[in-house]
Amino acid sequence: MGVAEFLKILFFINTGLAVFNILPFPPLDGSKIFAELFKGKVSYYIYSMERYSTILLFMLLWFAPFRNILIFLNQRLGILIIKLVEIFV
């Protein structure tokens, strides 16, 4: 495996983690962004669910259709970013 292939694999791992992290699910950063956009009762609900949602998140990750959606988003976002980089480089 060459350096370019290694960097490509790292790139896809990194974009996958970024997509996963911005999901609006309470233990992830996307939920905090969502809570700040919608203050009041929505924000209170999101922060109150943070305690219990980690277990639910692990259960969802074991659920194959949810995992397949994340893989699909990762692949599409990675292709889009590669095309954008090719335009500017």
Side-chain angles (χ1 to χ4, degrees), residues 1-10 13:
M1 172 172 31
V3 173
E5 186 67 26
F6 178 72
L7 291 176
K8 186 177 178 182
I9 291 169
L10 284 179
I13 290 171

Side-chain angles (χ1 to χ4, degrees), residues 38-61:
F38 301 100
K39 301 219 183 251
K41 289 183 180 180
V42 174
S43 178
Y44 175 77
Y45 177 74
I46 289 173
Y47 287 125
S48 67
M49 289 299 295
E50 195 165 11
R51 219 177 329 168
Y52 309 107
S53 59
T54 304
I55 295 169
L56 183 61
L57 180 64
F58 284 123
M59 289 172 28
L60 278 174
L61 288 175

Side-chain angles (χ1 to χ4, degrees), residues 68-87:
N68 291 339
I69 291 170
L70 288 177
I71 290 169
F72 174 78
L73 290 174
N74 181 27
Q75 290 171 344
R76 297 298 171 222
L77 184 64
I79 291 169
L80 176 67
I81 292 174
I82 287 174
K83 289 183 180 186
L84 287 173
V85 168
E86 288 174 351
I87 290 172

Side-chain angles (χ1 to χ4, degrees), residues 19-37:
V19 167
F20 181 73
N21 197 32
I22 61 170
L23 292 174
F25 198 73
L28 304 175
D29 289 338
S31 68
K32 291 164 184 60
I33 295 169
F34 194 77
E36 291 301 317
L37 288 175

